[in-house]
């Protein structure tokens, strides 16, 4: 049985549980309980505060955990980042009042910076030879300059609207963060096998999300050109059409290159292009 810690409620909760579900792992209870067991995968799920997850994984109370990379780095526990998960993306940034004339990191010298991320911030200040002072607080960091508690802040930003409504502007980005799967360094062979199975499923789910299935018709004279655009997983599937000289091509295309590839396909006389989502993809 592998024990996984996920956030009890908050920004990570929904996507963490959704990922397990997409991996085909059914959970017996909701998050009302402290823990639950899957009925179809050897997994026990602990619902915890995100800040506590690195410690629990380090202690071995949980074997693995889903947590923001920002929390993982701040807590400085000796655990392994196994895989980035691609959700709950944000950045850890330094922000100053809008009226502050900011040109470079040197402008932070002698300032007092409020944050809940003092370890990560200290690392940044040391790397940049800054003597700024860190004022550690436990929440509502964005109001610190407004009430005279600090000159600047270091906090998580996603849309930027919290900074905007508090009259602040982002001047340095220290870290880009997303949810990650982290693991205890001393997993037994049995637990490692279950983790590998879980990772295999996560990879299939993520690969599917990053790719689309594409079907199109093209004249045989253009097939070679089209294959250069659609290499597929091994190579594209080609089926002759009833109309002489034409084929149907089926392949996968990466989400990021999607529109560019479509434009070029049209130049190679592709028609009847159909694009479908992929549910799972084992590469
Ligand atoms: O109760 P518990 O301790 O478990 O939860 P929490 O309140 O400490 O954490 P939670 O649920 O707020 O965030 C969990 C994780 O989500 C963080 O550790 C990050 O990895 C990630 N995440 C992604 C964020 C944000 N985006 C985010 N925008 N965490 C916090 N924020 C806050 C930020 O602190 C600021 O107050 O949202 C505000 C800024 O948002 P914008 O959109 O206005 O820029
Ligand atoms: Zn927290």
């Amino acid at each position: 049985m592998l024990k996984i810690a996920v956030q009890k409620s908050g920004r990570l909760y929904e996507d963490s549980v959704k990922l397990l579900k997409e991996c085909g792992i059914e959970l017996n209870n909701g998050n009302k309980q402290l823990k639950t067991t899957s009925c179809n995968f050897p997994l026990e799920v602990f619902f915890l505060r995100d800040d506590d997850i690195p410690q629990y994984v380090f202690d071995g109370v949980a074997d693995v955990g889903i947590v923001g990379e920002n929390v993982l780095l701040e807590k400085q526990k000796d655990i392994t980042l196994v895989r980035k998960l691609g959700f709950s993306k944000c950045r850890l940034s330094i922000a100053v009042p809008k009226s502050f004339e900011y040109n470079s990191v040197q402008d932070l010298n002698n300032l007092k910076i409020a944050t809940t991320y003092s370890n990560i911030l200290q690392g940044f200040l040391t790397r940049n030879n800054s003597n700024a002072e860190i004022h550690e607080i436990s929440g509502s960091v964005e109001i610190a300059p407004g009430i005279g508690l600090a000159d600047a802040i270091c906090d998580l930003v996603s849309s930027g609207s919290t900074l905007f409504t508090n009259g602040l502007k982002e001047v340095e980005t220290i870290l880009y963060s997303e949810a990650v799967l982290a693991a205890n360094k001393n997993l037994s062979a049995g637990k490692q096998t279950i983790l590998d199975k879980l990772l295999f499923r996560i990879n299939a789910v993520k690969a599917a999300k990053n790719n689309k299935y594409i079907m199109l018709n093209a004249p045989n004279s253009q097939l070679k050109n089209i294959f250069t655009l659609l290499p597929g997983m091994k190579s594209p599937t080609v089926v002759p059409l009833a109309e002489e000289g034409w084929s149907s091509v089926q392949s996968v295309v990466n989400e990021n290159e999607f529109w560019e590839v479509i434009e070029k396909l049209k130049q190679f006389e592709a028609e009847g292009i159909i694009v479908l989502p992929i549910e799972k993809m084992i590469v």
Side-chain angles (χ1 to χ4, degrees), residues 1-2 42 63 187-197:
M1 185 78 84
L2 187 76
D63 303 308
L187 292 185
S188 67
K191 285 177 189 283
Q192 186 63 48
T193 304
I194 304 170
L195 176 57
D196 290 343
K197 274 188 189 169

Side-chain angles (χ1 to χ4, degrees), residues 7-13 48-52 67-71 87-91 117 141-142 155-163 177-179:
Q7 192 188 27
K8 185 172 168 57
S9 67
R11 286 183 163 87
L12 296 164
Y13 168 76
L48 302 166
R49 282 199 59 201
D50 67 343
D51 314 70
D52 297 333
V67 71
E69 197 177 353
N70 49 302
V71 171
F87 58 83
S88 296
K89 288 189 175 174
C90 58
R91 52 195 190 273
Y117 291 92
V141 175
E142 64 280 359
D155 199 11
L156 298 175
V157 182
S158 46
S159 69
S161 66
T162 302
L163 293 184
S177 178
E178 63 188 80

Side-chain angles (χ1 to χ4, degrees), residues 10-58:
R11 286 183 163 87
L12 296 164
Y13 168 76
E14 258 174 45
D15 284 332
S16 303
V17 171
K18 191 169 128 216
L19 177 63
L20 295 178
K21 210 171 175 184
E22 286 169 338
C23 288
I25 298 171
E26 283 172 34
L27 302 180
N28 294 328
N29 306 306
N31 69 328
K32 300 285 172 271
Q33 316 269 335
L34 170 67
K35 61 177 186 173
T36 182
T37 309
S38 170
C39 53
N40 63 354
F41 194 83
L43 192 73
E44 193 171 13
V45 186
F46 292 139
F47 296 101
L48 302 166
R49 282 199 59 201
D50 67 343
D51 314 70
D52 297 333
I53 291 176
Q55 179 75 50
Y56 278 109
V57 172
F58 177 73

Side-chain angles (χ1 to χ4, degrees), residues 204-205 207-209 211-213 251-253 276-281:
V205 169
K209 281 211 173 110
N211 288 281
K212 301 257 180 268
Y213 193 77
S251 189
V252 292
V253 59
L276 301 166
I278 301 172
E279 198 185 293
K280 304 281 187 298
M281 186 164 150

